[in-house]
Amino acid sequence: MPVAPAHSLEALIQALRRLPGVGAKSAARMAYHLLQRDRDGALQLSQALVQAVDHMRHCERCHTFTEAPICAICQNPQRDATRLCVVETPADQAAMERTGAFAGLYFVLMGRISPLDGIGPHDLGLKKLLDRASDGVVQEVILATNFTAEGEMTAHVMAQALKARGLRATRLARGVPVGSELEYVDLGTIAHALAERR
């Protein structure tokens, strides 16, 4: 049975509200814009979403998004396999890449420890990270989680687990403002923090 037009509009608004930082008014404004002024853009957006959902997967080595079983960064023989940078999200990884200051490999947690949300170390693949870092090639694990309370807790738990295995763990320097998220920090600050890591 076809959906009535008003229900289709409301469904679109509710779908847009699922995006981070988008409230009811912003979602309605976007929906009206797409339907009134940019129907071609709306179709392009819907096709791109379907394509991404159907074809994107997690890299088998680092967990970032990719269309292949192993992402291009993990496959690149020019990358420094002795350094492994741990980030919370693919967006954080992209921010690190845009600095041009890091030539190693990554491990993407796809989240952070958050007891209030029921997310613990095992939910983030800590065992897989420890196994990867213990491969005999990795010499340094750079903990580049965000400087939020959850990011700090995540870095602390990982650092303790890595040190218990005799692995060297460093943390981004405090050049990145406390409470910030990497994807929104300017590139110069990220590059400086990476260079001054401890």
Side-chain angles (χ1 to χ4, degrees), residues 22-91:
V22 177
K25 287 184 181 180
S26 294
R29 204 167 25 252
M30 288 182 216
Y32 286 122
H33 170 79
L34 289 169
L35 294 175
Q36 289 174 340
R37 294 193 170 85
D38 195 6
R39 286 187 175 249
D40 288 340
L43 289 173
Q44 184 180 359
L45 177 62
S46 68
Q47 291 166 356
L49 281 169
V50 168
Q51 182 81 5
V53 169
D54 286 348
H55 293 93
M56 298 302 287
R57 63 174 80 178
H58 294 288
C59 173
E60 293 173 5
R61 295 199 68 215
C62 74
H63 290 162
T64 197
F65 290 126
T66 180
E67 290 190 25
I70 306 291
C71 74
I73 291 175
C74 287
Q75 288 184 39
N76 185 345
Q78 303 300 314
R79 303 297 291 215
D80 180 0
T82 66
R83 294 190 299 155
L84 185 65
C85 183
V86 181
V87 294
E88 292 179 18
T89 67

Side-chain angles (χ1 to χ4, degrees), residues 127-142:
K127 182 182 180 333
K128 188 169 183 178
L129 169 62
L130 293 172
D131 290 345
R132 172 110 185 259
S134 302
D135 65 2
V137 177
V138 174
Q139 297 174 10
E140 177 189 14
V141 179
I142 302 165

Side-chain angles (χ1 to χ4, degrees), residues 132-183:
R132 172 110 185 259
S134 302
D135 65 2
V137 177
V138 174
Q139 297 174 10
E140 177 189 14
V141 179
I142 302 165
L143 303 175
T145 56
N146 292 310
F147 286 92
T148 59
E150 293 90 352
E152 290 284 1
M153 183 187 329
T154 303
H156 176 75
V157 168
M158 287 188 301
Q160 295 303 312
L162 290 162
K163 287 177 185 173
R165 287 199 178 193
L167 300 168
R168 180 173 178 235
T170 58
R171 180 83 167 111
L172 287 184
R174 287 287 181 175
V176 177
V178 174
S180 65
E181 295 188 8
L182 285 179
E183 69 180 293

